[in-house]
Amino acid sequence: MIKIVKINNNFGFKKNSQNLKTENGNILFVKRKKHAELIVREYLTGVKSKDPNSLTNLTLFSCNLSKDEIEQIKKKIIELLNFDILLFRFFDENELLKIMEKEFDPFISKFEKLFDCNLEKIFSIVHSSNIKNLSFKSYLDKLDIFKLTTLFKLSSLTKSVILSYFFINKKINYKTLYKLTNLEYNYQQKRWGVVDEQLSMNEDFIKIIKNISFFFKNIS
């Protein structure tokens, strides 16, 4: 039997009087009781999900992080920001560029003002950028392991740190996040039609976003 126990202001888990720990030996804990109850429910089913984006596996991923791994994740997020999908503008279709300008530029501008930075739009496949954004790095330093995991997973999936940031700050929902990160694909789909293989990929994409969104809902 797994018991939920209070650890300071958090909730941990005990089995046979022993704290449940991650592979790295870190104590498994969460911040909300409902989150803890969902973890216990998944454990009691006796079936460990192979989905790395399930509630339990994202929780384990977060709690298992070492200090070095946390710093590596922050570095990766900043690298992804340099090539954020919102910045890509090397398209021939003027109509698509106008749509991007309308849909993306307000988010870019807000992000730049929030973190006092200038993000370079990408007009060529050959592009080099290295934004040393101390303000954004400071923001990342303040995130707890669960929000950092959410931002990292979403940024890696959508290729947009900017939109993922607005998601975890509850300015957009997962449906808007999906729609905007697939803007170019949806535009091409209207022109050329839908490919069955792409439909399957879209379903997987939506499923992952929903799972990460569910995790985020239970940590915030």
Side-chain angles (χ1 to χ4, degrees), residues 100-116:
M100 287 180 163
E101 184 177 338
K102 178 184 175 183
E103 298 288 348
F104 291 168
D105 285 8
F107 288 105
I108 295 171
S109 296
K110 287 177 186 176
F111 191 91
E112 288 177 327
K113 287 177 183 177
L114 282 167
F115 296 107
D116 189 25

Side-chain angles (χ1 to χ4, degrees), residues 157-174:
L157 173 68
T158 65
K159 309 304 178 189
S160 178
V161 175
I162 298 170
L163 290 177
S164 298
Y165 164 81
F166 286 110
F167 173 84
I168 72 168
N169 284 278
K170 301 182 179 180
K171 303 299 182 184
I172 59 174
N173 58 29
Y174 81 85

Side-chain angles (χ1 to χ4, degrees), residues 102-157:
K102 178 184 175 183
E103 298 288 348
F104 291 168
D105 285 8
F107 288 105
I108 295 171
S109 296
K110 287 177 186 176
F111 191 91
E112 288 177 327
K113 287 177 183 177
L114 282 167
F115 296 107
D116 189 25
C117 64
N118 291 311
L119 299 173
E120 296 179 23
K121 290 179 182 174
I122 303 169
F123 295 98
S124 170
I125 295 176
V126 180
H127 177 80
S128 178
S129 180
N130 186 24
I131 301 168
K132 297 185 182 300
N133 194 313
L134 297 179
S135 181
F136 185 60
K137 175 61 166 61
S138 178
Y139 165 77
L140 294 178
D141 289 339
K142 293 173 185 175
L143 291 181
D144 63 39
I145 54 174
F146 304 109
K147 286 186 178 178
L148 184 66
T149 290
T150 305
L151 181 60
F152 172 61
K153 292 286 187 176
L154 281 179
S155 298
S156 299
L157 173 68

Side-chain angles (χ1 to χ4, degrees), residues 6 17 41 53 56 63 76 81 124-125 131 154 158-159 178-179 186 202 204 215:
K6 202 79 185 288
S17 300
R41 188 183 303 169
N53 299 300
T56 297
C63 291
K76 180 62 177 176
L81 175 61
S124 170
I125 295 176
I131 301 168
L154 281 179
T158 65
K159 309 304 178 189
Y178 169 77
K179 179 187 125 182
N186 290 333
N202 284 350
D204 290 340
F215 170 73

Side-chain angles (χ1 to χ4, degrees), residues 3-7 10-14 27-30 36:
K3 293 183 179 179
I4 298 172
V5 294
K6 202 79 185 288
I7 303 176
N10 300 315
F11 296 91
F13 308 87
K14 281 196 172 183
I27 290 177
L28 181 65
F29 75 95
V30 296

Side-chain angles (χ1 to χ4, degrees), residues 12-147:
F13 308 87
K14 281 196 172 183
K15 185 176 182 181
N16 301 326
S17 300
Q18 298 292 318
N19 288 319
L20 288 184
K21 295 184 178 182
T22 68
E23 290 181 1
N24 283 342
N26 300 335
I27 290 177
L28 181 65
F29 75 95
V30 296
K31 294 192 169 186
R32 299 179 63 196
K33 190 171 183 181
K34 181 183 176 184
H35 187 175
E37 290 169 348
L38 289 169
I39 295 284
V40 170
R41 188 183 303 169
E42 287 193 16
Y43 265 104
L44 290 177
T45 62
V47 180
K48 185 176 179 181
S49 173
K50 294 181 180 179
D51 182 356
N53 299 300
S54 70
L55 179 74
T56 297
N57 285 339
L58 284 174
T59 305
L60 286 166
F61 176 91
S62 302
C63 291
N64 194 50
L65 292 171
S66 66
K67 289 183 179 180
D68 285 345
E69 287 168 335
I70 288 172
E71 290 307 312
Q72 288 170 16
I73 283 176
K74 293 175 188 175
K75 183 179 178 182
K76 180 62 177 176
I77 289 172
I78 292 174
E79 287 175 357
L80 287 168
L81 175 61
N82 289 328
F83 296 92
D84 197 291
I85 195 173
L86 268 61
L87 304 175
F88 280 74
R89 302 297 168 91
F90 54 91
F91 298 99
D92 294 328
E93 298 96 333
N94 288 329
E95 184 182 353
L96 175 58
L97 289 171
K98 287 179 181 178
I99 294 171
M100 287 180 163
E101 184 177 338
K102 178 184 175 183
E103 298 288 348
F104 291 168
D105 285 8
F107 288 105
I108 295 171
S109 296
K110 287 177 186 176
F111 191 91
E112 288 177 327
K113 287 177 183 177
L114 282 167
F115 296 107
D116 189 25
C117 64
N118 291 311
L119 299 173
E120 296 179 23
K121 290 179 182 174
I122 303 169
F123 295 98
S124 170
I125 295 176
V126 180
H127 177 80
S128 178
S129 180
N130 186 24
I131 301 168
K132 297 185 182 300
N133 194 313
L134 297 179
S135 181
F136 185 60
K137 175 61 166 61
S138 178
Y139 165 77
L140 294 178
D141 289 339
K142 293 173 185 175
L143 291 181
D144 63 39
I145 54 174
F146 304 109
K147 286 186 178 178

